[in-house]
Amino acid sequence: MSPHNQNVTRGYGLLEKFLAKKRGKMADSLIPLDYRTGRILDIGCGSFPVFLIDVNFAEKYGLDKVDNKQKDVLLNRGISFLEYDIEHQNNLPYQNNFFDAVSILAVFEHIEPKKTLAVLNEIYRILKPGGICVLTTPSVWAILPLKIMAKCGLVSSTELAEHKYAYKPLELAAIFEKTPFAKENLQSGYFELGMNIWVIAKKS
């Protein structure tokens, strides 16, 4: 992929690729090594799927609502890309029990809160028993710093304008607990000085 096609978000942000790599590194650290021989899906992977390119998995799948014009290039890197809008299309286009891991990084905040439960239920459906969902999202403490960074051109103002909600860990836990994911299989925490939240949920 040529450098001019490596914009990871819609809209300009000087730090977007750096921040995407930081999120990806955090998510990667949360996935056990014994999952890597299986399949991973990255929901909202972006036009330049930094996380999928960097992560070590036998089979890699990505989907995003923005069409990717370089599907063949991604396929050569071992990534199967599909254009798909998880907020406005009902069912994820994969069979039951298909993936060992599903990542949804800096995407949850872009989904209408009333639709997040349906998305998590679909993630549960496509995960294999024992499979894990890894989620990251900005915390409520990140709202003001992100607005300042957008005005300075450090993050994408286009993306920031589409944020629907900023979560606290307890709010995320409450949503997960309404899904088939068991409460005892849920872990969460902060990273990047409390600016972001990570969540891992394991399918029983």
Side-chain angles (χ1 to χ4, degrees), residues 1 48-56 60 74 77 79:
M1 258 179 228
F48 182 71
V50 173
F51 174 63
L52 284 178
I53 288 170
D54 290 343
V55 75
N56 180 25
K60 305 177 187 182
L74 293 178
R77 288 175 176 254
I79 300 169

Side-chain angles (χ1 to χ4, degrees), residues 85-159:
D85 187 343
I86 61 166
E87 189 175 11
H88 297 107
Q89 292 173 264
N90 292 328
N91 301 311
L92 287 169
Y94 305 101
Q95 64 193 47
N96 295 352
N97 308 318
F98 190 70
F99 290 101
D100 298 87
V102 173
S103 55
I104 179 166
L105 312 180
V107 173
F108 217 58
E109 65 273 15
H110 291 271
I111 303 171
E112 288 287 351
K114 64 183 180 182
K115 297 183 178 179
T116 53
L117 182 58
V119 170
L120 291 179
N121 281 331
E122 274 296 284
I123 290 173
Y124 187 91
R125 178 184 66 78
I126 64 173
L127 278 172
K128 295 178 181 179
I132 58 171
C133 170
V134 179
L135 179 150
T136 71
T137 189
S139 70
V140 291
W141 324 117
I143 296 173
L144 181 59
L146 284 172
K147 287 180 178 179
I148 294 171
M149 291 169 74
K151 286 183 178 180
C152 298
L154 298 177
V155 299
S156 168
S157 58
T158 303
E159 293 279 351

Side-chain angles (χ1 to χ4, degrees), residues 12-200:
Y12 174 76
L14 184 63
L15 294 181
E16 288 291 1
K17 188 173 180 182
F18 170 76
L19 294 173
K21 281 188 168 288
K22 294 281 283 184
R23 285 192 300 271
K25 187 175 180 181
M26 184 69 211
D28 196 9
S29 73
L30 296 170
I31 303 172
L33 290 176
D34 57 355
Y35 284 72
R36 308 310 177 104
T37 57
R39 303 184 186 107
I40 186 170
L41 169 67
D42 187 28
I43 295 174
C45 63
S47 56
F48 182 71
V50 173
F51 174 63
L52 284 178
I53 288 170
D54 290 343
V55 75
N56 180 25
F57 255 83
E59 294 184 38
K60 305 177 187 182
Y61 296 75
L63 56 80
D64 200 283
K65 66 180 181 180
V66 178
D67 189 21
N68 194 299
K69 307 301 182 184
Q70 302 181 91
K71 294 183 183 72
D72 291 340
V73 177
L74 293 178
L75 199 56
N76 288 336
R77 288 175 176 254
I79 300 169
S80 299
F81 177 87
L82 186 64
E83 181 185 0
Y84 188 87
D85 187 343
I86 61 166
E87 189 175 11
H88 297 107
Q89 292 173 264
N90 292 328
N91 301 311
L92 287 169
Y94 305 101
Q95 64 193 47
N96 295 352
N97 308 318
F98 190 70
F99 290 101
D100 298 87
V102 173
S103 55
I104 179 166
L105 312 180
V107 173
F108 217 58
E109 65 273 15
H110 291 271
I111 303 171
E112 288 287 351
K114 64 183 180 182
K115 297 183 178 179
T116 53
L117 182 58
V119 170
L120 291 179
N121 281 331
E122 274 296 284
I123 290 173
Y124 187 91
R125 178 184 66 78
I126 64 173
L127 278 172
K128 295 178 181 179
I132 58 171
C133 170
V134 179
L135 179 150
T136 71
T137 189
S139 70
V140 291
W141 324 117
I143 296 173
L144 181 59
L146 284 172
K147 287 180 178 179
I148 294 171
M149 291 169 74
K151 286 183 178 180
C152 298
L154 298 177
V155 299
S156 168
S157 58
T158 303
E159 293 279 351
L160 187 61
E162 293 184 0
H163 283 199
K164 307 285 175 57
Y165 195 74
Y167 292 90
K168 298 176 183 177
L170 286 177
E171 291 176 307
L172 290 169
I175 299 170
F176 271 94
E177 287 168 15
K178 293 176 183 176
T179 73
F181 286 106
K183 184 176 181 180
E184 60 268 22
N185 291 336
L186 185 69
Q187 296 176 282
S188 66
Y190 288 105
F191 67 106
E192 292 181 343
L193 302 175
M195 300 290 283
N196 285 281
I197 302 167
W198 61 264
V199 179
I200 304 176

